[in-house]
Amino acid sequence: MAGFVRPLAAVLLLAVPGLATASAYSQLVVFGDSLNDSGQFPDPGGPLLGVLPTGGYRFTNRTGPHYRADNSEYFAEVASQRLARRLGLQALPSTPLLPQVLTGNPDGTNYAVGGYLTDEVRASITDENGSRVDAGGILSRSRDGYLVDRPRVDPNALFYVNGGGNDIVQGQVVDTASAGRTAAELVAGVAALQRAGARYIIVADLPDVGATPFALAQGRRADWSQASALFNAALDSQLAALGGNLIRLNLNGMFAEVRANPAAFGFDPGVALSDVCFDGADDECREDPTWGLSGATPDPQRLLFNDGLHPTSALQQISADYTYALLAAPGEISLLPEMGRAALRAHLRLLDRELQAGLGRWQAPGNWRISVQGGYRWPEYDGHDGSAAGDGRGQNLAITTSRRLTRDWLAGVSLGLADDRLELDEQGSDYEMQAALLTAFTRYQLPLLFLDLRASLGYLDYHDLERSFALGSARRTEQGDSEGWLWGGGGRLGMNLFGSEPLRAGPFLGADYQRVEVEAWRERDSSATALAYDRQIRESLLLSAGLYFDLDLGRSTRVFGEVARERERKDEAQEVRMALISRPDNRFVLPGYAPPGGQTRLSLGLSQAFGGGLSLSASYYYLGNEDSVQGVNLGLAWTL
């Protein structure tokens, strides 16, 4: 915002942190005003060889500890840069006045410029020479609008659009009609991006301009608050009419929560935070006597505003964290179906171990075999392709009973229970699930051939779902509960190349189809960060090929195992449809977990037979590639 104050911008030298993680998005492209300007204007604080400035001027406070205006302490990052860093992307200025020869930074994908009105924001998207930076007519530069160079955009790019604050401050929004015209410029830019193929567009609402120190100083607090509300209402209605996959933020609601409880976010609750600022050099606001630049203990982290209109770096961080939490949620929530599928796969592993234990050692025709098996496993998600990273732990218990129908046929059922927990690394989110599973199976077995067929059903109880994230120095946890169902079917065909004791071994082929559904649910709170999720459906078609072996070490002891390669035919990234509870009319879809396309699994076990038809087995297994799981199983069986 704000072209009525000194040209504000960003320091190019700080622009790009290292790429930390793979993102679900290919790049971040930003259009807007000073709230997201990452460094278009030159910082007059420090010269290069006493002649030219070396950095950009951003719309927030300088870094400390002294906050000197001499380029020894650059301006802190604005929200768009902080968001880009969290996503592992870049947010360099697109049209910086300082060329690459001085800064080392090329033109970037941040087209936001301090002072832009909404028509200028739109022009930076659509017009020739539409991206302009002008520092008092002495230094100026222009660049074609983003879509002039790229009539078709990368569908995996993430776009961010904001604006409207300067229009209010400059008197462009005074009633419903003018609010509609101002909002229409932003919406026109959004529509152009949609026509060019953009799939993921964030549109920020406007925080209350009346709740700023500059509004107080100008005596316009009520007028600008009303204008902000009119602009947001017009923007909401026009975006709703436009449709498409738009992620509409509720920054106004988020900042209202900060003002209502400043201590929770590290701000001084004893200060009228909407009335004072950190740097009052331009007489746009009253500088706080304690935390202000000239105060007893200067500290912008304790204040909301750096100057009369622009946030401190602390509030910039909250804005970035708020947006990132929204984008990161699908990477976490799309793991809920994976938890159900993992429980079913662990249940089927127990069944496979039971069937392998009986290979060539069936009970007599008409007799029964009962087994009790338990397993413990440690899944790990590595966070590839923007998915959430974390560790889990799961427990499975299965009671299996089978009856030999004829010489060649065996049939039975397995009842299983599972208890799973997933803890994610970055923010400490915690998700829990319990499952009840039922599988009916049959085996056809000849001396040199066997065929397994099975069908499964399951109920999933998701409880204590806790999505945690940072909001500046604060942390927030949104909670909820859900439930789900699963079903699946599959089989395995194998050969025994040896035919008799002491060794049975050979190749096998397997195929399994599984479908997991997690019902729609919502987080319990009504805050600006709480989300509601539509039903999720995860389908899996898993093909496998491998080798197994079963070797007698004596009359009652044997070792068994297998190694296989799995191929997931439905490995596209999952998508989550959701909405902010505070904006229930705006539902959007974002990418989530991308299952690995191929994994290798192996297992090794030992079985010991006792008298009276009793046997005890223990095994270890590993499944891994990008994500992995390790587990151990114990089983006790009794042949009647």
Side-chain angles (χ1 to χ4, degrees), residues 592-626:
Y593 176 72
Q599 291 186 295
T600 299
R601 77 169 189 257
L602 59 88
S603 64
L604 184 64
L606 184 69
S607 178
Q608 178 68 45
F610 302 95
L614 288 175
S615 63
L616 179 68
S617 64
S619 63
Y620 164 84
Y621 67 87
Y622 172 82
L623 172 67
N625 186 12
E626 293 168 325

Side-chain angles (χ1 to χ4, degrees), residues 347 349-355 357 371-375 396-400 414-415 417 617 619 633-637:
H347 173 71
R349 285 193 196 97
L350 295 178
L351 178 58
D352 287 342
R353 298 293 81 76
E354 167 63 12
L355 291 174
S371 69
V372 179
Q373 299 178 85
N396 279 75
L397 178 67
I399 300 176
T400 303
S414 180
L415 175 64
L417 299 174
S617 64
S619 63
N633 297 324
L634 290 174
L636 179 65

Side-chain angles (χ1 to χ4, degrees), residues 278 289-292 294-300 302:
F278 175 70
T290 303
W291 309 114
S294 303
T297 54
D299 187 357
R302 302 287 280 163

Side-chain angles (χ1 to χ4, degrees), residues 69-134:
D70 61 3
N71 263 346
S72 66
E73 297 174 328
Y74 298 109
F75 283 96
E77 293 177 321
V78 294
S80 57
Q81 295 175 286
R82 296 166 187 267
L83 174 62
R85 178 158 44 84
R86 296 292 301 275
L87 293 171
L89 301 174
Q90 298 180 353
L92 286 169
S94 65
T95 317
L97 286 171
L98 299 177
Q100 183 177 357
V101 67
L102 296 180
T103 65
N105 293 322
D107 283 350
T109 58
N110 189 318
Y111 288 72
V113 176
Y116 265 8
L117 303 174
T118 56
D119 63 336
E120 294 173 301
V121 176
R122 191 265 311 149
S124 70
I125 300 174
T126 62
D127 291 3
E128 292 185 3
N129 295 317
S131 178
R132 294 177 175 272
V133 181
D134 187 350

Side-chain angles (χ1 to χ4, degrees), residues 53-231:
T54 58
Y57 200 104
R58 278 191 271 265
F59 294 72
T60 188
N61 55 274
R62 291 186 184 273
T63 56
H66 304 294
Y67 313 102
R68 296 190 180 105
D70 61 3
N71 263 346
S72 66
E73 297 174 328
Y74 298 109
F75 283 96
E77 293 177 321
V78 294
S80 57
Q81 295 175 286
R82 296 166 187 267
L83 174 62
R85 178 158 44 84
R86 296 292 301 275
L87 293 171
L89 301 174
Q90 298 180 353
L92 286 169
S94 65
T95 317
L97 286 171
L98 299 177
Q100 183 177 357
V101 67
L102 296 180
T103 65
N105 293 322
D107 283 350
T109 58
N110 189 318
Y111 288 72
V113 176
Y116 265 8
L117 303 174
T118 56
D119 63 336
E120 294 173 301
V121 176
R122 191 265 311 149
S124 70
I125 300 174
T126 62
D127 291 3
E128 292 185 3
N129 295 317
S131 178
R132 294 177 175 272
V133 181
D134 187 350
I138 301 172
L139 295 173
S140 62
R141 188 178 177 207
S142 65
R143 183 183 181 188
D144 284 340
Y146 181 79
L147 293 180
V148 176
D149 297 329
R150 303 165 187 80
R152 297 299 298 174
V153 305
D154 182 349
N156 294 318
L158 177 66
F159 297 89
Y160 188 112
V161 181
N162 88 285
N166 290 309
D167 301 79
I168 290 174
V169 171
Q170 296 186 25
Q172 303 296 311
V173 179
V174 295
D175 54 22
T176 301
S178 58
R181 290 192 298 270
T182 302
E185 294 286 354
L186 278 190
V187 175
V190 171
L193 290 170
Q194 287 182 329
R195 289 192 298 270
R199 293 193 299 165
Y200 307 112
I201 306 175
I202 299 171
V203 184
D205 65 343
L206 183 63
D208 184 359
V209 181
T212 62
F214 188 69
L216 177 65
Q218 296 295 307
R220 304 298 301 276
R221 178 154 282 179
D223 293 340
W224 289 356
S225 290
Q226 182 181 18
S228 299
L230 289 173
F231 175 82

